Amino acid sequence: MQRTRSRNPVYFKLSHNRRSTEMIEDYVEAIQEIIREKKEAKNVDLSKYFGVSNATVNKNIKRLIKEKLATSEKYRSIYLTKKGMDLADKSNARHEILYKFLIKLGVSKKTAEEDSEGMEHHISEETLKLMKSFIASS
């Protein structure tokens, strides 16, 4: 079988960097979704959403605040900043394009939803743009 990709360490580093932003993107998406449903997001909501402890949520919220993606006061709701809302919107749009692309390929809705959730964090803008064009043209 012919090898189709380079084993260049740069690609491994790129993949690693994308994994490190995956949690951040998941959290801003979740906060946005919870706020849409409940008008506010609390740590307990995120703990239930992700199935993790309050301590894990607290750690991750601190990271979001440090990155200026969210704001929160002790024992208060969590809100996204403009930067956080933009990131959530961008991540949701990537997810939607991937989902529609997979459906166009004939993947079942359940599998398309599962696969697009992980892929959205690792796909390049170039590939995403081509997928979007493919969806629009077919």
Side-chain angles (χ1 to χ4, degrees):
M1 178 188 277
Q2 183 179 3
R3 200 162 75 173
T4 60
R5 68 177 180 95
S6 170
R7 300 240 190 270
N8 189 324
V10 170
Y11 301 127
F12 295 113
K13 185 173 176 102
L14 178 63
S15 180
H16 177 76
N17 289 342
R18 287 179 177 162
R19 275 193 303 273
S20 70
T21 64
E22 188 172 341
M23 180 280 301
I24 288 174
E25 291 174 352
D26 283 342
Y27 266 76
V28 294
E29 285 180 282
I31 292 166
Q32 185 181 61
E33 186 176 322
I34 292 167
I35 288 173
R36 280 187 186 140
E37 289 176 10
K38 295 183 167 189
K39 307 296 183 220
E40 65 180 359
K42 297 188 181 235
N43 286 27
V44 68
D45 298 319
L46 290 167
S47 183
K48 287 178 186 174
Y49 187 95
F50 290 113
V52 297
S53 70
N54 255 346
T56 298
V57 170
N58 287 333
K59 180 185 83 163
N60 291 329
I61 294 303
K62 285 179 184 177
R63 185 170 170 199
L64 293 179
I65 292 168
K66 182 180 176 188
E67 299 282 334
K68 300 190 183 332
L69 296 167
T71 61
S72 180
E73 294 177 22
K74 198 170 188 171
Y75 306 112
R76 299 282 181 196
S77 297
I78 304 153
Y79 297 98
L80 295 176
T81 63
K82 170 81 168 98
K83 183 178 173 184
M85 286 186 282
D86 290 346
L87 180 60
D89 289 341
K90 184 178 177 182
S91 189
N92 279 319
R94 284 195 321 259
H95 183 113
E96 196 63 24
I97 291 166
L98 279 159
Y99 175 79
K100 288 177 180 177
F101 178 78
L102 293 171
I103 293 295
K104 285 279 186 188
L105 291 178
V107 175
S108 72
K109 288 181 179 183
K110 181 181 184 299
T111 301
E113 185 62 40
E114 291 170 358
D115 289 350
S116 61
E117 175 55 39
M119 293 167 65
E120 75 186 73
H121 304 291
H122 300 276
I123 194 159
S124 71
E125 290 300 320
E126 176 185 3
T127 303
L128 200 63
K129 185 177 176 183
L130 290 168
M131 287 177 165
K132 190 174 181 180
S133 294
F134 175 81
I135 294 165
S137 69
S138 54

